[in-house]
Amino acid sequence: MNDNHKYLLPTYPDRGINIIRGEGVYLYDVNGKKYIDFGSNYGVSILGYGNKVILSALKSQIEKLINLHGSLGNPVRDQAARKLVNMCGKYYSQVYFCNSGTEAIEAALKFTKLTKRGNHIIAMQHSYHGKTLGALSVTAGEKYREPFTPLIWDVSFADFGTIENLKNSIKKDTIAIIIEPVQGEGGINPSPKGFLKAVRKLCDQNNLLLIIDEIQAGLGRTGSFLVSQNDGISADILCLGKGLAGGIPIGATVVSKNVAAHVPVHIHTSTFGGNPLAMSGILATLEFLSDKKIYRHIQETGDYFLKELKKIRHPKIIDARGVGLMIALELRENATWLLKSLQDKNIIAIPAGSNVVRFLPPYLITEKEIDVLIYALKEIFVK
Ligand SMILES: Cc1ncc(COP(=O)(O)O)c(C=O)c1O
């Protein structure tokens, strides 16, 4: 292990580089080496690094007020909440702000328990919703779960994409279905056409709440503001996070009127939730996401990226897939060597499970940087 990190508990794998600066779609290490960032910090840096509008909003808010407890009102928080709820669609009525994706899921699960009587939740195989205990209970990965069992509630994992299997998983005390519209950590698995609509219908028929986790796939990543919106459905509880606040830690749990009516005062709060700094980041980010041009760019660049990636054929490659700028290359073997080879060629990509290389570039990425990546992959696979 690198000696510089010796006081850090090594819960993260060490990629062996020290990054100190970012600009546009590039990251720079301590030696001035420049990397193209195809990971955007696991989907956080959606507008890249050093965006002038985001920086200016954050700087100006830092000078006014960084933190303010939720019991004290703040106009920036009110504006961020109004704008976010309105952009999510008319089915939603209010939002609870916290500081990470996993916290947004914790809130979603607690609000579900407050709304419905019962103990059984259906999640999907290969799901990822975070690592705090509630979120972990609905996360499928056995290696994350095993040391902490028994986890909480009664959770079944249904086949992602098969409505019959989901139907058969419903029990007398089932209260909700939780789903990522495009699975991220599970290997970049888009839901089959019509599946989300069918899940919504199943929830309505069986009086279940639908929790949609768009923490990774939402906010433009797939070429629309929300995947669920694009599929013509709404959740009862929608979870967002990652790049929502311009890089400041954030989680958001957006709820319908029905759910909101069951959440009393005091029951769920967080000291930093709704802090003005994060709220100013949300307002600035949503300004960018209000411009339709960004979605066209994501769709066009994503289509080009996937088309070029699919052209790379090699016995070690099983599949290239994805939607928008959420793209994966699946190998027949563990993919750590490929991540390392790319890093040696000044390209940062991230894993999704053990054998998938995931690409979640900032939305500013262009064909020029994609060509550099494709060229590097060709070199790696041809050699
Ligand atoms: C779909 C999804 N849900 C929840 C989370 C957890 O978010 P966080 O790491 O901010 O706690 C993630 C993180 O990658 C995610 O991709």
Side-chain angles (χ1 to χ4, degrees), residues 120 122-125 156-171 174 177 195 199 202:
H120 178 242
I122 304 171
M124 301 297 133
Q125 285 167 17
S156 302
F157 292 94
D159 195 6
F160 181 67
T162 316
I163 201 73
E164 271 312 305
N165 187 259
L166 207 50
K167 215 183 265 178
N168 294 336
S169 306
I170 297 174
K171 301 200 237 179
T174 306
I177 295 177
F195 182 63
V199 176
L202 194 65

Side-chain angles (χ1 to χ4, degrees), residues 55-272:
L55 284 187
S56 139
L58 294 177
K59 279 183 193 164
S60 125
Q61 187 58 49
I62 279 179
E63 280 166 15
K64 283 190 212 127
L65 189 64
I66 296 174
N67 201 16
L68 187 76
H69 189 261
S71 57
L72 300 169
N74 175 260
V76 186
R77 187 192 295 136
D78 293 341
Q79 283 164 34
R82 176 193 295 263
K83 181 139 187 143
L84 180 61
V85 171
N86 284 338
M87 282 179 75
C88 288
K90 60 179 188 313
Y91 189 69
Y92 301 102
S93 76
Q94 274 157 323
V95 58
Y96 166 79
F97 286 122
C98 49
N99 316 290
S100 65
T102 200
E103 278 180 75
I105 299 288
E106 295 296 318
L109 295 172
K110 287 178 77 178
F111 298 164
T112 299
K113 285 286 278 183
L114 290 168
T115 308
K116 295 267 176 209
R117 265 173 208 280
N119 203 41
H120 178 242
I121 294 178
I122 304 171
M124 301 297 133
Q125 285 167 17
H126 307 291
S127 63
Y128 185 84
H129 299 290
K131 288 182 182 143
T132 51
L133 291 172
L136 188 59
S137 301
V138 289
T139 287
E142 208 35 51
K143 74 171 179 193
Y144 303 139
R145 298 169 59 84
E146 197 275 326
F148 305 106
T149 50
L151 286 157
I152 49 179
W153 300 311
D154 176 18
V155 178
S156 302
F157 292 94
D159 195 6
F160 181 67
T162 316
I163 201 73
E164 271 312 305
N165 187 259
L166 207 50
K167 215 183 265 178
N168 294 336
S169 306
I170 297 174
K171 301 200 237 179
K172 228 167 84 199
D173 69 338
T174 306
I175 51 176
I177 295 177
I178 179 165
I179 187 166
E180 294 157 85
V182 181
Q183 293 186 326
E185 177 73 20
I188 310 289
N189 308 315
S191 48
K193 213 170 166 37
F195 182 63
L196 284 185
K197 256 202 168 118
V199 176
R200 175 72 268 181
K201 198 167 154 200
L202 194 65
C203 287
D204 292 342
Q205 285 166 342
N206 293 277
N207 198 21
L208 310 178
L209 293 187
L210 175 58
I211 306 169
I212 298 189
D213 177 350
E214 298 222 23
I215 288 165
Q216 189 168 151
L219 306 178
R221 175 61 59 193
T222 68
S224 54
F225 180 63
L226 297 174
V227 185
S228 47
Q229 219 169 36
N230 200 37
D231 277 28
I233 63 149
S234 297
D236 297 286
I237 306 180
L238 169 73
C239 295
L240 298 169
K242 301 275 190 193
L244 176 61
I248 302 298
I250 190 70
T253 309
V254 188
V255 299
S256 68
K257 213 175 188 155
N258 171 39
V259 172
H262 289 86
V263 183
V265 69
H266 287 308
I267 196 88
H268 194 68
T269 58
S270 157
T271 303
F272 292 110

